[in-house]
Amino acid sequence: MTKMAEDAFAKADLSPTYSYVLVVVHQYPGITQKELCDKLSIAPSTSTRFIDKLEEKNLVERKSEWKETHIFLTEEGKALYKELNQYFEQLYGQYVSILGKEHSEQLTKLLHESSEMLKKGKL
């Protein structure tokens, strides 16, 4: 599955993880780094590395407001986000063609539920 995701997002010159960061920033414009870490279940140092790389590629920008820094997509990031949606759809289509629609939906649901349970277990 990881290999399929890497192949799907290679066209965007991003790993799936960086793509997920862009998706979250798109869904929550102005998200703080702490919120991003919570949503992706990653360490602050990891998120800093991701944000730095995406900023270097001119896909996100940081804007400071008082003591907090907020993250936004740039125009290039917004354009790439639209492209990423196509890659997500292609990836899902690959899963469905191999696993079948019902099994793919069950797998997606179980992974999401498991992720939520693991997050709650950390608290």
Side-chain angles (χ1 to χ4, degrees), residues 41 111-123:
S41 299
L111 287 171
H112 176 72
E113 289 172 355
S114 298
S115 176
E116 292 301 313
M117 290 170 68
L118 288 169
K119 282 182 191 177
K120 289 177 184 174
K122 284 184 176 180
L123 299 177

Side-chain angles (χ1 to χ4, degrees), residues 92 94-105:
Y92 183 71
Q94 286 180 310
Y95 288 146
V96 170
S97 70
I98 294 168
L99 302 173
K101 185 170 175 71
E102 184 179 332
H103 193 76
S104 296
E105 288 173 355

Side-chain angles (χ1 to χ4, degrees), residues 52-73:
D52 287 347
K53 182 169 183 176
L54 292 170
E55 201 169 39
E56 286 173 23
K57 291 179 171 266
N58 196 34
L59 298 173
V60 299
E61 62 183 339
R62 293 176 172 118
K63 293 183 181 177
S64 294
E65 293 179 17
W66 291 91
K67 294 182 180 182
E68 290 185 324
T69 300
H70 299 269
I71 306 157
F72 297 88
L73 292 182

Side-chain angles (χ1 to χ4, degrees), residues 1 11 14 18 38 55 57 69-70 87 91 105 123:
M1 290 173 88
K11 300 170 202 158
L14 286 178
Y18 285 96
D38 290 344
E55 201 169 39
K57 291 179 171 266
T69 300
H70 299 269
Y87 301 146
L91 182 59
E105 288 173 355
L123 299 177

Side-chain angles (χ1 to χ4, degrees), residues 32-44:
T32 65
Q33 185 171 345
K34 182 183 182 322
E35 293 167 333
L36 183 66
C37 291
D38 290 344
K39 295 212 177 291
L40 294 174
S41 299
I42 56 176

